[in-house]
Amino acid sequence: MTTQQKPDFDCIAVGAGFAGLALIHYLRDAGLSIRVFDRAADIGGTWTWNRYPGAATDSESYYYCLTFSKELLQEWSWTKRYPDWEETHNYLKFVADKCDMRPHIQLNTEIVSAEYQQDSGLWLVKTGDGESYTCKYFVSAMGMISEPQIPSIPGLDTFKGPCFHSSRWPQEGLDYAGKRVGIIGAGATTVQMLPVVAQTAASVTVFQRTPNFVMPAMQKPMTPEWEKEIKDNYDSIIEKCRNHVFGMAFEGPPGRNAVDATPEERERIFEEHWNGSFRWVFETFDDLLADPEANRMASEFIIKKMKERVNDPEIAELLTPKGYPLFAKRPPLDHGFYEAFNRDNVHLVDIKDREPIVEVTETGVRTTENDYEFDIIVLATGFKAYTGALEAFDIRGLHGQTLRDKWKTSSEAIMGVCVSDFPNLFTVTGPQAPFANLPTSIEQNVMWITDCIQKMESEGYDTFIPRAEAEKEWTAHTAEIHDQTLMSQGDKVNSWMMGANLEDKPPRVLIYFGGANIYYDKLRESVESGFPELDFKKSAA
Ligand code: NAP
């Protein structure tokens, strides 16, 4: 280390999920000491918190993984196309054990503040149990969708039964068989949870504000033949992810536009590719997310498919997304969500136009029209995406400013990996990074971070300060692209992709929509040109 006061660790990271494990691998390989803290009782990040029934990935298993070790890729066997939370959790534990990462991880430890010390050039990191540690590099590995958004519905704390956010599903499990369950929210979480809970609950009532474009996941088991094909071709799968706009191992681009196809051709291509996953959006036509007319055609197809699955036309109408383009809200993948509404024990309440929620009572939910009685209420109300975890405790950079102060009205950052005025701080998939297959983005980010630290150490620098001009440039570039996409209409429909779901903040540009592959190229260019976004400094002494 070049900093004069020796820190406890070269690097402290918060979050023992995919990002924390990737950091341990790459930084340990680079000869640095690292400790990863997590307040959870187990490693796994998202996959240790989100234990709600039906929780599963929307990426296909074989590329929702870390790629740094060919041995790991060959040894681990996925059992299905989309692993449930438990399988992904087991995978992460397998990685941690196989790579002997546990000695670097401290669980059950909440970080309550992290402060850059100008005199020593170190970060001072404090835990909830009163311990303090110093490090030269402080890294957020807290995930981009991890901080729950709790709605300000009056009376929430008066309900007598269990009432919790979906990502805080009781770790010890919860017996909902024969119980009346109310779910507030109808996003990706509810889409996964409803069909499973409905199987044994006495009743499930979904309170929906905005209907989504829901596409089928089409789960299937991993056969030995499929596994062999994957394992024989991992290099090209990794390459595909690296070069895809969404970081996924998809084919494409298809090289044709929906608006140029005849109606028959378009219908045929849409039908042929209706095989589950987001592939449908990226492997049918190139213009679905760019051209409003093509987007309308895709939207109509998805709605037609939904109507074939929902028996009651009135319910189908309530489930029909209206007034916004496909992908202005992140579309969920489903495993029987629509069929669940054909069951007698499942009810849908339109809380936007028909009967808004007034309050939660001791016994359930009161709307403008009805009193609904429940034994359990689940708040599947989403997350403070991208910035929420970074704002949940004090992270103080130069001049004592916190990230929370900095991001009151907008969320500027440089490529989602660092923030001006916050020296020696890295964020993995922070604001203004792309929204993509997360393990791909995480690994690309961690490689950039590792290269940066290696430059710091080999050239004897004490500090890097992300440049304000570089942040302005990236923010302007991200905003310009954002404004050209249909995703910019997310503010109409409370999309978390613009922070438009937050009650206390204005919508903002949170995501780089220029393509994950282009973004990964930009990260590489940054490394190759010596990190022009950063000012490197040596201490005077
Ligand atoms: P979400 O998509 O943001 O959905 C939240 C739901 O809660 C929406 O229906 C929203 O209605 C509703 N809501 C929020 N505040 C409310 C209030 N005050 N009153 C009534 N309803 C309210 O959240 P999510 O379902 O947890 O999913 C978030 C993201 O997490 C996903 O898009 C995805 O990226 C990730 N996720 C991934 C997976 C996976 O990959 N398998 C699974 C789950 C989640 P409005 O739409 O009207 O705001």
Side-chain angles (χ1 to χ4, degrees):
M1 296 295 297
T2 52
T3 311
Q4 293 188 330
Q5 182 188 325
K6 186 145 174 50
D8 297 316
F9 303 98
D10 296 334
C11 173
I12 288 180
V14 191
F18 273 97
L21 300 192
L23 282 162
I24 293 173
H25 169 78
Y26 284 94
L27 293 185
R28 193 175 56 180
D29 247 26
L32 288 118
S33 63
I34 173 166
R35 174 157 299 177
V36 173
F37 290 93
D38 201 309
R39 65 182 156 193
D42 204 349
I43 66 164
T46 287
W47 302 103
T48 200
W49 289 109
N50 283 273
R51 295 174 179 223
Y52 60 83
T57 67
D58 278 354
S59 291
E60 292 154 308
S61 53
Y62 63 94
Y63 55 83
Y64 192 78
C65 52
L66 294 166
T67 63
F68 57 71
S69 156
K70 289 195 172 171
E71 204 183 326
L72 288 182
L73 291 171
Q74 292 300 324
E75 273 189 36
W76 179 258
S77 290
W78 296 104
T79 66
K80 40 187 154 352
R81 187 179 187 183
Y82 309 93
D84 53 34
W85 72 264
E86 208 163 3
E87 186 167 348
T88 306
H89 194 215
N90 286 337
Y91 161 75
L92 289 167
K93 290 192 280 189
F94 160 78
V95 172
D97 290 333
K98 187 83 192 162
C99 301
D100 195 22
M101 291 177 172
R102 289 195 191 257
H104 301 279
I105 301 172
Q106 184 170 328
L107 298 169
N108 297 305
T109 309
E110 178 156 20
I111 300 302
V112 293
S113 70
E115 209 166 304
Y116 179 70
Q117 313 282 293
Q118 295 207 40
D119 49 352
S120 65
L122 299 178
W123 280 86
L124 176 67
V125 180
K126 293 187 178 165
T127 70
D129 46 17
E131 298 294 328
S132 299
Y133 301 93
T134 54
C135 60
K136 183 168 174 182
Y137 306 103
F138 182 62
V139 191
S140 163
M142 294 186 281
M144 41 149 291
I145 315 177
S146 50
E147 189 64 23
Q149 164 67 6
I150 308 293
S152 57
I153 300 173
L156 264 185
D157 53 352
T158 60
F159 183 64
K160 292 282 191 228
C163 174
F164 49 84
H165 188 268
S166 53
S167 69
R168 297 296 180 268
W169 191 275
Q171 301 271 306
E172 64 284 5
L174 178 70
D175 184 10
Y176 53 84
K179 305 268 169 61
R180 299 161 301 172
V181 181
I183 304 178
I184 300 179
T189 296
T190 299
V191 165
Q192 291 186 333
M193 188 189 318
L194 173 68
V196 181
V197 174
Q199 282 170 25
T200 52
S203 66
V204 189
T205 303
V206 175
F207 294 91
Q208 173 191 266
R209 209 161 53 181
T210 313
N212 279 290
F213 290 98
V214 179
M215 296 189 288
M218 299 200 189
Q219 180 69 288
K220 58 181 179 183
M222 178 69 66
T223 60
E225 300 73 37
W226 190 21
E227 181 172 2
K228 179 172 181 331
E229 190 194 324
I230 288 165
K231 290 189 172 173
D232 287 349
N233 290 290
Y234 248 126
D235 287 346
S236 86
I237 289 168
I238 295 168
E239 197 59 23
K240 273 187 189 167
C241 290
R242 166 64 181 78
N243 292 311
H244 190 264
V245 289
F246 209 39
M248 305 241 179
F250 290 172
E251 305 302 328
R256 59 185 172 225
N257 286 331
V259 292
D260 298 332
T262 63
E264 297 73 28
E265 215 183 329
R266 198 166 44 242
E267 190 73 4
R268 179 181 58 75
I269 291 169
F270 276 156
E271 277 292 349
E272 277 174 10
H273 287 78
W274 195 248
N275 301 316
S277 113
F278 295 117
R279 284 175 184 279
W280 186 82
V281 176
F282 296 96
E283 294 183 354
T284 49
F285 297 104
D286 291 330
D287 53 350
L288 301 188
L289 302 186
D291 183 321
E293 184 55 12
N295 189 285
R296 185 190 59 74
M297 292 163 172
S299 303
E300 280 177 3
F301 186 87
I302 295 172
I303 291 168
K304 182 188 86 171
K305 286 288 187 190
M306 177 271 285
K307 290 188 171 169
E308 288 168 7
R309 294 167 61 192
V310 177
N311 295 344
D312 181 338
E314 199 184 333
I315 298 289
E317 194 52 34
L318 289 182
L319 291 169
T320 302
K322 295 183 184 85
Y324 72 94
L326 169 66
F327 253 89
K329 278 172 105 63
R330 191 278 214 185
L333 296 187
D334 89 292
H335 301 257
F337 174 68
Y338 286 137
E339 286 76 8
F341 290 100
N342 299 333
R343 299 176 66 108
D344 291 340
N345 68 337
V346 172
H347 313 287
L348 181 63
V349 179
D350 171 7
I351 54 170
K352 182 155 185 276
D353 297 323
R354 293 194 180 178
E355 44 176 313
I357 293 178
V358 176
E359 61 179 342
V360 170
T361 65
E362 281 188 13
T363 53
V365 172
R366 177 169 299 142
T367 68
T368 50
E369 302 295 315
N370 287 297
D371 266 316
Y372 295 89
E373 295 205 343
F374 298 119
D375 303 304
I376 298 166
I377 296 178
V378 184
L379 305 172
T381 45
F383 297 87
K384 299 176 181 179
Y386 281 88
T387 61
L390 290 154
E391 295 171 319
F393 62 91
D394 283 355
I395 299 179
R396 281 184 200 281
L398 292 175
H399 325 301
Q401 188 194 31
T402 62
L403 285 173
R404 199 185 308 116
D405 297 333
K406 181 177 165 101
W407 289 337
K408 274 202 174 103
T409 53
S410 56
S411 301
E412 297 96 349
I414 303 176
M415 297 189 290
V417 282
C418 56
V419 184
S420 81
D421 285 337
F422 289 78
N424 293 11
L425 168 79
F426 296 106
T427 55
V428 181
T429 63
Q432 304 196 348
F435 180 53
N437 181 42
L438 277 166
T440 311
S441 281
I442 285 169
E443 231 171 327
Q444 292 292 326
N445 277 188
V446 171
M447 286 191 269
W448 186 90
I449 291 169
T450 307
D451 286 333
C452 178
I453 292 181
Q454 280 182 315
K455 177 184 168 75
M456 291 274 295
E457 297 304 310
S458 64
E459 297 178 21
Y461 290 110
D462 295 299
T463 315
F464 73 80
I465 305 179
R467 295 173 49 230
E469 310 84 76
E471 187 171 271
K472 275 201 196 100
E473 264 172 46
W474 183 257
T475 300
H477 174 58
T478 304
E480 193 186 340
I481 293 174
H482 176 269
D483 291 347
Q484 291 163 10
T485 68
L486 296 169
M487 281 72 98
S488 64
Q489 296 185 39
D491 58 345
K492 289 184 194 166
V493 277
N494 322 318
S495 171
W496 63 257
M497 295 198 294
M498 290 181 65
N501 61 329
L502 304 179
E503 294 173 359
D504 57 346
K505 285 187 178 209
R508 64 208 43 220
V509 176
L510 271 182
I511 299 183
Y512 176 77
F513 282 122
N517 52 340
I518 307 283
Y519 165 81
Y520 304 148
D521 289 346
K522 286 181 188 293
L523 289 174
R524 270 302 93 202
E525 280 160 26
S526 159
V527 173
E528 280 158 16
S529 40
F531 302 92
E533 307 80 10
L534 312 176
D535 282 333
F536 293 97
K537 297 212 180 313
K538 295 181 184 179
S539 61

